[in-house]
Amino acid sequence: MKRSFISMLMILIPAYMCAQKLYVWKPKKQQVAVRPFYQKTDTIDVIIFDGRIINNKSKVECTSEEVVNEFQDIFRQAYSNATLIIYDSKDYNKKAYPNHLTIKVGIAAYHAGFGSDIHVGIGSVGGSFSYGFFPKGKWNALTSLYIRAFDKRDGNDRKVQKEISHTASKSNMLGYKSAKSALNETYLQATAEMLLIIDNSMMEE
């Protein structure tokens, strides 16, 4: 009886400890295709704002600056043919400049968690996000982005805004490796959709 009780504690205590934390790993480097339809005469402004809420109990293996830099690097690759200007996050709410293409990305979520505690880290960056059910007893990962793009080139006044949210759930069979794999999966899906939305919305009609 005593041995069974101890065994049960060994199962429940790690699960409890996991449930108190969020987990964040540095995003993997991506190889992004250059968008050939932008040239040096196109000035593209990019502003990334990290609005996540990561508590002190979390296991974080990269800083907010490192996460933001990975997003910036995606744009550096995609728009290497254009004149790219990357602004500080404090300019997130500034108006778009005339004759520029301005892209603003708010990071509402980029983290993993055990069970439903993943909701804890979601921040406010604008937009209207809706999240479904997160399975208990599994590692859940979430990447949520709020995209706004303003095309004021050549007298245009096009604007697009879109919420992007990708989730993944994996069993605890591989422990933290399952969580890390799920988080990377959501990151790749969200950033791919981000570029697709911007490309499609800013194409010349």
Side-chain angles (χ1 to χ4, degrees):
M1 180 71 178
K2 185 177 180 181
R3 185 173 297 175
S4 298
F5 178 73
I6 293 173
S7 298
M8 185 176 294
L9 280 178
M10 291 177 68
I11 294 172
L12 292 177
I13 289 174
Y16 173 80
M17 291 175 66
C18 288
Q20 304 307 302
K21 294 182 178 180
L22 298 174
Y23 296 78
V24 182
W25 291 273
K26 187 176 180 179
K28 287 186 177 180
K29 290 285 184 183
Q30 293 190 55
Q31 295 297 319
V32 180
V34 176
R35 271 51 185 173
F37 32 85
Y38 296 109
Q39 306 299 324
K40 284 297 179 185
T41 53
D42 295 305
T43 301
I44 302 178
D45 303 329
V46 173
I47 308 164
I48 314 290
F49 170 66
D50 185 1
R52 295 173 301 154
I53 304 170
I54 306 297
N55 60 45
N56 292 332
K57 296 179 181 180
S58 300
K59 177 181 172 62
V60 179
E61 294 192 0
C62 65
T63 64
S64 173
E65 289 76 13
E66 287 176 308
V67 173
V68 168
N69 187 65
E70 291 302 319
F71 277 87
Q72 292 173 344
D73 192 56
I74 290 173
F75 290 109
R76 290 188 187 99
Q77 293 183 61
Y79 304 131
S80 58
N81 285 347
T83 299
L84 186 69
I85 304 174
I86 295 179
Y87 289 89
D88 191 86
S89 59
K90 68 177 184 293
D91 296 316
Y92 184 66
N93 290 316
K94 284 189 176 181
K95 290 184 178 181
Y97 287 111
N99 300 314
H100 288 204
L101 169 58
T102 302
I103 299 169
K104 299 182 179 184
V105 180
I107 306 172
Y110 171 71
H111 59 271
F114 199 79
S116 60
D117 275 9
I118 193 173
H119 286 105
V120 175
I122 299 171
S124 178
V125 294
S128 180
F129 291 92
S130 178
Y131 300 99
F133 172 76
F134 290 101
K136 294 181 179 180
K138 286 190 173 184
W139 286 108
N140 297 307
L142 173 65
T143 300
S144 295
L145 310 174
Y146 179 47
I147 311 300
R148 288 182 294 164
F150 309 83
D151 188 358
K152 294 183 176 295
R153 298 169 298 165
D154 303 322
N156 291 317
D157 193 19
R158 286 196 289 263
K159 176 183 177 181
V160 63
Q161 55 187 39
K162 179 76 174 179
E163 299 87 1
I164 297 173
S165 186
H166 285 272
T167 62
S169 300
K170 294 185 182 293
S171 72
N172 195 28
M173 183 178 297
L174 299 177
Y176 294 149
K177 287 184 178 180
S178 295
K180 191 173 183 179
S181 173
L183 183 57
N184 186 61
E185 181 180 316
T186 66
Y187 172 75
L188 293 176
Q189 291 171 340
T191 52
E193 184 179 353
M194 171 184 74
L195 290 174
L196 182 62
I197 288 170
I198 295 170
D199 289 346
N200 289 343
S201 62
M202 297 302 153
M203 288 287 192
E204 295 291 340
E205 297 179 354

